[in-house]
Amino acid sequence: MPYFDTASAAPLHPVARQALLAALDEGWADPARLYREGRRARLLLDAAREAAAEAVGCRPDELVFTSSGTTAVHAGIAGALSGRRRVGRHLALSAVEHSSVLHSAAAHEAAGGSFTEVPVERSGAVDPAAYAGALRADTALACLQSANHEVGTEQPVAEVAALCAEAGVPLLVDAAQSLGWGPVAGRWSLLTASAHKWGGPAGVGLLAVRKGVRFAPQGPAGERESGRAPGFENLPAIVAAAASLRAVREEAAAEAVRLRALVGRIRSVVAGRVGDVEVVGDPERRLPHLVTFSCLYVDGETLLHELDRHGFSVSSGSSCTSSTLEPSHVLKAMGVLSEGNVRVSLPMGTAEADVDRFLDVLPGLVAEVRERLGAPVSAPPSPAPVASLVVDALGRRCPIPVIELAKVIGEVPVGATVTVLADDEAARLDIPAWCEMREQEYVGEEPADRGSAYVVRRLS
């Protein structure tokens, strides 16, 4: 069964498995003790730190191991903000950061601080000049992911890092998605990552803090990991994480070329074989293994279940596949379609035949899901157009509001409007995205008794 969701968690690398089993036998003792077993454990921990630091591009004494990537993000942001509290309490971050960064920002604001979200372009990347414009005299910390976890777009980290350095603001980089493919360029100040993203065991994160960065660990002080990650080190998992990071780096250059070609095929074939689809993210400046596309008039959860039934494990950032009515904050910030969203992230070693089979199966499944939902094959104009129409889609989940809009847009004359009443939060994103795809005018949103009224003007 092809597993195409390595952006969530990569399969355990064979080297990680070997290192884990060996460390369970040799690294079970307390590395802080001076007796033989403790010294042996300490040697393993030091070797793992050196290997990880080499991959990150920092000194070993600048890197600590945490219990997860999320813990590393929370500790890194809290420690940097506290260490620079005299400068101010303002935090800058991009609008497409991982939820762990957004949660830290929300906690910071609740404690009396402030933050600014820098908008992104439709590709998902920030404009370095716009990011620089968000830096203020009281900015204590800036955050920018190296590559996006939902659409794969790489961020201009080196450019932003240079601008932050010029402004005297440390930059924290969330490198969870990219570190397995190579080091992060630029003059970053702090960096976080998560081992299960590159084929290491879950439960190991990295936090690197450059020398000279003011940093004050929060919470009760601990004796281990420079006081930045309290608790007993999970030494076998740490050893496996460092070993697998070194192993995947050795394979990365060749696999990046091969997987980039496979992803390029997915991007082109999906756009050619599946009608009404939007392939999102930067087509060039992107991770080599990840592609995301949104299918108009498709319920994302149903499509993912159908793909799973046919043997393909993929994921989605769409609101239609979550337990809430909120659309993905990444897709929302990009202003792209959220309905029918599919993220494919290929693990190293993915067979070309599996990708070909996925591309053979996908168009038929999309057509089946659309047929079940009653989506229009086309929107033929009515022989007797009416001046305007109101579509009541209240209480109906995505993609139904857009489907109903598509069904009736041809019933009004060019220049007339269709008003869609909807209380699904995803409609706020999907209706404007549909208008852009269909070259119709999105007039705007108006308040309604329940939900909102979305007004669309027919242009063609």
Side-chain angles (χ1 to χ4, degrees):
M1 179 174 178
Y3 177 77
F4 288 172
D5 192 25
T6 190
S8 293
L12 192 66
H13 194 282
V15 169
R17 184 182 300 276
Q18 295 170 4
L20 180 63
L21 293 175
L24 286 171
D25 291 332
E26 299 293 328
W28 50 267
D30 186 348
R33 302 305 171 194
L34 299 180
Y35 41 70
R36 180 182 56 203
E37 293 86 358
R39 294 196 306 272
R40 185 184 301 134
R42 184 71 194 190
L43 288 173
L44 289 173
L45 180 59
D46 289 344
R49 197 183 313 278
E50 289 177 8
E54 181 182 4
V56 168
C58 67
R59 292 168 35 161
D61 59 352
E62 294 174 329
L63 183 143
V64 299
F65 295 104
T66 68
S67 60
S68 69
T70 294
T71 301
V73 167
H74 291 170
I77 292 177
L81 287 172
S82 180
R84 286 175 47 83
R85 187 162 183 164
R86 289 185 179 180
V87 173
R89 304 200 64 194
H90 177 251
L91 172 68
L93 63 151
S94 84
V96 294
E97 295 298 313
H98 187 268
S99 60
S100 59
V101 176
L102 301 184
H103 293 158
S104 287
H108 176 61
E109 184 178 50
S114 64
F115 68 91
T116 299
E117 285 191 2
V118 182
V120 297
E121 300 167 347
R122 196 170 177 84
S123 67
V126 299
D127 178 358
Y131 202 105
L135 303 178
R136 310 184 327 206
D138 64 337
T139 301
L141 178 66
C143 298
L144 182 64
Q145 59 190 186
S146 54
N148 186 259
H149 50 292
E150 288 192 21
V151 301
T153 297
E154 293 180 335
Q155 297 289 358
V157 173
E159 295 94 322
V160 171
L163 293 168
C164 287
E166 185 178 340
V169 177
L171 176 66
L172 182 148
V173 177
D174 171 13
Q177 290 295 335
S178 73
L179 192 61
W181 298 104
V184 177
R187 298 162 59 190
W188 51 266
S189 302
L190 302 95
L191 182 143
T192 64
S194 186
H196 73 277
K197 302 294 187 181
W198 66 67
V204 179
L206 306 180
L207 170 60
V209 182
R210 297 281 197 197
K211 293 295 182 183
V213 176
R214 295 188 66 85
F215 191 90
Q218 298 302 286
E223 295 80 22
R224 299 174 186 272
E225 295 301 297
S226 305
R228 295 173 182 172
F232 196 95
E233 297 94 344
N234 184 354
L235 186 53
I238 287 171
V239 170
S244 58
L245 180 55
R246 173 177 286 176
V248 298
R249 280 290 188 83
E250 292 174 353
E251 304 164 1
E255 273 296 279
V257 172
R258 197 179 70 84
L259 293 182
R260 186 173 290 274
L262 292 178
V263 166
R265 183 186 304 178
I266 295 173
R267 293 178 67 93
S268 60
V269 171
V270 166
R273 294 185 189 173
V274 181
D276 295 314
V277 70
E278 182 177 16
V279 182
V280 301
D282 195 297
E284 298 298 331
R285 191 166 179 169
R286 58 176 173 82
L287 292 172
H289 69 303
L290 194 154
V291 58
T292 299
F293 52 89
S294 297
C295 303
L296 197 59
Y297 314 135
V298 167
D299 171 47
E301 185 172 4
T302 301
L303 179 57
L304 264 59
H305 282 316
E306 287 300 316
L307 285 167
D308 179 58
R309 194 166 63 85
H310 283 75
F312 295 97
S313 301
V314 300
S315 63
S316 171
S318 169
S319 64
C320 303
T321 60
S322 70
S323 59
T324 72
L325 294 178
E326 292 289 328
S328 156
H329 72 277
V330 171
L331 302 179
K332 186 175 182 179
M334 294 168 62
V336 297
L337 191 68
S338 74
E339 64 185 61
N341 180 262
V342 176
R343 181 184 70 180
V344 176
S345 48
L346 307 177
M348 290 186 173
T350 296
E352 185 176 341
D354 288 337
V355 172
D356 288 339
R357 191 166 69 85
F358 172 79
L359 293 172
D360 288 339
V361 166
L362 178 69
L365 295 182
V366 172
E368 289 178 14
V369 174
R370 285 173 173 165
E371 185 177 2
R372 287 184 217 167
L373 292 171
V377 177
S378 61
S382 168
V386 296
S388 63
L389 279 175
V390 175
V391 174
D392 186 353
L394 292 169
R396 310 187 74 182
R397 294 286 304 277
C398 72
I400 299 302
V402 174
I403 289 177
E404 296 302 318
L405 168 62
K407 286 180 178 179
V408 302
I409 190 70
E411 297 179 15
V412 301
V414 172
T417 61
V418 174
T419 300
V420 182
L421 303 178
D423 52 8
D424 183 353
E425 181 66 22
R428 182 169 285 114
L429 176 62
D430 289 345
I431 290 177
W434 179 90
C435 290
E436 180 162 333
M437 291 178 69
R438 289 308 202 182
E439 298 182 340
Q440 308 295 344
E441 179 186 354
Y442 177 62
V443 177
E445 178 183 350
E446 300 175 354
D449 291 339
R450 287 174 50 212
S452 298
Y454 302 94
V455 183
V456 176
R457 178 173 288 108
R458 182 184 175 192
L459 299 182
S460 60

